[in-house]
Structures are given as C-alpha cells and as structure tokens.
Amino acid sequence: MTSEDSAVLRVAGRPVGRYVTRPALPDRLSPRPYLHPVTTLSGVSVTELSPADHPHHLGVGVAVPDVEGHNFWGGRTFVRDQGPTELDNHGAQRHVGFQLRDPDGFVEELRWVAGGTEVLRERRTVAATGLTGTAWALDFTFALTNPGAEPLTIGSPATNGRPGAAYGGFFWRARKEATAPDVFTAGTEGEAAAHGQRADWLALAGTSWTLVFAGATDATRRDPWFVRTAEYPGAGSSLAHGERLPVPPGETVVRRIVTVVADGRLDRDEAAALIRKAVAA
C-alpha cells in the first residue's frame, strides 16, 4: 500500500493498479476516486486519466451523469431539447475510509455529495486476482444506497433524450492508441453491434492487451453495455438505459463487474475461457 489516501493493488507481488481516493480535481470533473494506472502483468498501461478528448474520464471507477439532476460524471450535462450544457450541478464522491485494505484489494465507504447534501452512500469492494502468467482479474462491486427519506432516480443522457448515450455506472477509460481497439462479444463483432446490447461478456483488444468485461450478478447482466472505440476507447455498463433507475429510501442498488486484464490479443475462445475462470474465482 502507499498512504492513507491511496492504495496499490498487487498480484503475486506485482503492482497492477493504483487507487487514488482524494484526487485534487476541479468541480466540473466531478471529483471521485479512481484506479489509474491499471496495467497488465507485463506492465502495459490499459487506462487513461483526464485525456484531452474527455478530461472528465478518470481511469476506472463509478461515474453517473444524472442522480436527481446532479452530475457525478463530469463535463457538460445533456439537457432535453437543449443538448450538452455547462451547468453548475457537479457532485463529488468523497472517500470516508477503508473498512479493509490488503495488497490484493480493499473495501471502501464513500459519500456522494452535491450542493452540501449526501445524495448517495456507497460501499465499494475491489479485489485483484491472478489467473495465468499473463492475465489477472479486477473484481469491482459497488453498492449505492439512498440515505434520504425521499425516493430518487438515476438517469443518463439517453433517458434525457440523447439516443445511444446511456452511459453511467461502472466505466473503464482504456488506453488510446494509433488505431482503435477491436470490440467483440460471444456473438457480435464491432462497436455498432455490441453497443447498447446485453451480453455475458464484452472484450476490447488493443495492440498488445485485451480487456474482457463481465457482469457477475443477475442484475448486472441485465444492464446493456456502453462501448466506444472509434471516438475513444472505453466500456462500461448502463444503469439507466431505456428508463430511469429508481432507488427508494433506504434501498440499495448493487452491481458487480469482473474484468480480465491480459497481455496480448485474445481471440473469442481465449476471452471466454478467461472470463469464466475470473467470475468463478
């Protein structure tokens, strides 16, 4: 581990990810904890932090553009009949403390705060597990609880009128290279075919690395995938795809994503085998 404010994930003694709990970021980036850099076992970075194309993309984490109108994604807010708009509506995810910290993972408590009010409370569990000599898995679970007395809903640009933009939830901003990564699932090939669809797993394959994402609970598997390759490389699950997600008072929304981080370019059979092993681990 490093300090009280950050943690280093290790697999068999090798550092594979740094988790920053209290980043010094401007309000418009919706400050929040993130993992960056995340690397393969050979040391190839597979994340980006605040890239020029989207400065509010922060490695690996949880980001939601609309929690009762509060922006926990960063950047502009999509307003129906108006489009992307600069608003003073940014929230922040505040690290409260670690309940557990080990070299291979941690359990963290967070408060999602906007306008001086706690909007959501979160428990985040992250673990790194070795799979083979060239692959490891990141197991990422987040549980969002409504601490208030009134119901709230989680939305996305898609539910606010922008088709195809149902981002919000777990999100991984991948490494940008000279050529876009390939994207495929067990039954589809390409961004257009995979984006917005449900699939047991989804893979991004770069020049010398592959990421394979899978929902590891029934609720998570019901969330369609959000994926970009042509504009920028990134993938995540959609909490609010076709309609807003309600969170009644005192209720909790739980999602678990397992990601294989592999050296080299995996084919479909190799990706499927590794993600099965990772989810079962």
Side-chain angles (χ1 to χ4, degrees):
M1 314 308 288
T2 55
S3 69
E4 181 183 0
D5 291 334
S6 63
V8 174
L9 293 178
R10 299 180 185 275
V11 172
R14 302 183 192 180
V16 292
R18 180 170 182 259
Y19 187 71
V20 178
T21 62
R22 296 186 176 98
L25 296 169
D27 289 346
R28 74 173 307 275
L29 299 188
S30 296
R32 56 194 183 273
Y34 59 80
L35 279 158
H36 175 81
V38 177
T39 70
T40 67
L41 290 176
S42 73
V44 175
S45 179
V46 289
T47 54
E48 284 203 16
L49 180 69
S50 290
D53 55 57
H54 289 77
H56 48 281
H57 287 180
L58 308 177
V60 180
V62 183
V64 178
D66 181 355
V67 182
E68 284 298 306
H70 303 295
N71 183 340
F72 290 91
W73 177 272
R76 295 177 296 175
T77 296
F78 187 86
V79 179
R80 187 180 295 274
D81 300 325
Q82 186 172 320
T85 307
E86 290 283 357
L87 297 177
D88 184 18
N89 66 339
H90 295 282
Q93 297 173 18
R94 296 182 180 171
H95 169 81
V96 175
F98 287 113
Q99 304 302 305
L100 171 71
R101 286 204 303 174
D102 287 322
D104 62 349
F106 57 83
V107 178
E108 179 190 23
E109 299 289 340
L110 304 99
R111 297 173 65 232
W112 292 39
V113 178
T117 300
E118 183 182 42
V119 180
L120 289 169
R121 193 169 296 157
E122 181 189 349
R123 170 165 284 200
R124 184 174 298 184
T125 304
V126 176
T129 304
L131 298 174
T132 69
T134 57
W136 65 280
L138 180 72
D139 194 329
F140 194 116
T141 299
F142 62 97
L144 302 175
T145 299
N146 178 358
E150 299 296 327
L152 63 80
T153 60
I154 291 171
S156 68
T159 62
N160 292 335
R162 182 184 173 192
Y167 51 83
F170 174 86
F171 182 70
W172 189 304
R173 173 56 198 253
R175 176 182 179 180
K176 193 168 188 176
E177 300 178 312
T179 58
D182 292 333
V183 58
F184 56 91
T185 69
T188 66
E189 187 99 26
E191 178 182 342
H195 176 70
Q197 302 301 312
R198 295 178 177 88
D200 288 344
W201 55 266
L202 177 142
L204 291 180
T207 57
S208 62
W209 51 269
T210 305
L211 303 172
V212 190
F213 307 92
T217 66
D218 289 342
T220 313
R221 284 188 285 271
R222 287 194 293 269
D223 293 337
W225 293 106
F226 175 86
V227 60
R228 290 285 189 261
T229 55
E231 181 183 0
Y232 63 82
S237 58
S238 302
L239 288 176
H241 183 258
E243 57 187 21
R244 300 183 69 90
L245 175 67
V247 189
E251 295 296 312
T252 301
V253 169
V254 181
R255 296 293 189 270
R256 178 184 171 211
I257 301 285
V258 176
T259 307
V260 169
V261 182
D263 280 298
R265 289 173 58 87
L266 303 179
D267 62 25
R268 186 172 274 107
D269 290 341
E270 291 168 330
L274 277 175
I275 199 63
R276 283 196 299 268
K277 183 175 181 178
V279 172

